[in-house]
Amino acid sequence: MQDIRYVEMNRVAEGKNIERLKSELHLLDADGKQENGHTFDVDSKQKRHSSLADFDLASHLDTAPELVDRVYNRPTLHTLESNTIQGAVEPLSIKKLARQRKHQYKILSQRIDREKKMFVIGQKIQTRKDLHDKNVKVSKETVNASAVYKFEAKRKR
């Protein structure tokens, strides 16, 4: 009984840590994230028939061409001219921050896997406890799922 409570307590704590990490990271650079499908409306018929290669994304978004690939915190040209850039500017520090962010995402994925495993372990312990005194045959127990029990068919009079 104590081991079930212990596993459940750790699973809940792990879930809280996962939520905290998700709120900090915002899943901006997640690998499994779907591609953005941003659509730009063009007004004139002449521009509509022009080729896609002529479309300048940086001028349309009013930002520097170096910042077009950035999907978050993309400042406009006016903001770049009027304000000083805050935060990391040097390529070395940007790479260091990217490495730290990647490490945080790795920790998040490990915590999610650990929480899933704890859930399965809790299910296994609970089924063993429920069937402790009954005579049953175990068919299979996998790493990802709790055991499946088969009961013997007995005729009751």
Side-chain angles (χ1 to χ4, degrees), residues 36-156:
N36 292 338
H38 199 114
T39 305
F40 294 105
D41 294 327
V42 181
D43 294 336
S44 69
K45 291 181 181 179
Q46 183 182 12
K47 286 186 180 178
R48 196 176 302 144
H49 294 296
S50 67
S51 69
L52 187 61
D54 296 338
F55 184 72
D56 186 22
L57 189 60
S59 64
H60 190 78
L61 293 173
D62 190 31
T63 188
E66 299 86 25
L67 301 174
V68 169
D69 293 336
R70 220 172 172 183
V71 293
Y72 59 92
N73 193 13
R74 188 186 300 143
T76 61
L77 289 174
H78 175 69
T79 308
L80 290 172
E81 290 170 359
S82 63
N83 299 342
T84 59
I85 298 176
Q86 298 176 350
V89 180
E90 301 164 358
L92 189 62
S93 62
I94 291 174
K95 286 182 181 180
K96 181 180 177 184
L97 289 173
R99 190 171 55 246
Q100 288 174 349
R101 189 169 45 246
K102 185 177 179 182
H103 180 69
Q104 289 292 90
Y105 281 117
K106 184 178 177 183
I107 290 172
L108 176 64
S109 66
Q110 287 174 350
R111 286 190 181 274
I112 290 172
D113 291 341
R114 191 178 307 133
E115 196 264 343
K116 286 178 185 176
K117 287 178 184 177
M118 283 187 193
F119 180 72
V120 171
I121 289 170
Q123 281 184 331
K124 289 179 181 180
I125 293 172
Q126 184 65 36
T127 52
R128 285 186 191 140
K129 188 188 96 149
D130 292 343
L131 301 170
H132 182 62
D133 57 343
K134 298 177 183 174
N135 189 10
V136 294
K137 291 182 180 178
V138 179
S139 63
K140 277 187 182 178
E141 182 174 322
T142 64
V143 177
N144 297 330
S146 60
V148 178
Y149 291 91
K150 293 183 180 179
F151 294 92
E152 294 178 7
K154 290 186 179 178
R155 183 174 173 237
K156 294 184 179 181

Side-chain angles (χ1 to χ4, degrees), residues 1-15 114-115 117-119 121-123 125-126 129:
M1 189 67 174
Q2 286 179 335
D3 48 357
I4 294 172
R5 289 185 188 149
Y6 177 77
V7 169
E8 189 64 25
M9 180 188 69
N10 282 339
R11 190 180 69 82
V12 169
E14 202 67 42
R114 191 178 307 133
E115 196 264 343
K117 287 178 184 177
M118 283 187 193
F119 180 72
I121 289 170
Q123 281 184 331
I125 293 172
Q126 184 65 36
K129 188 188 96 149

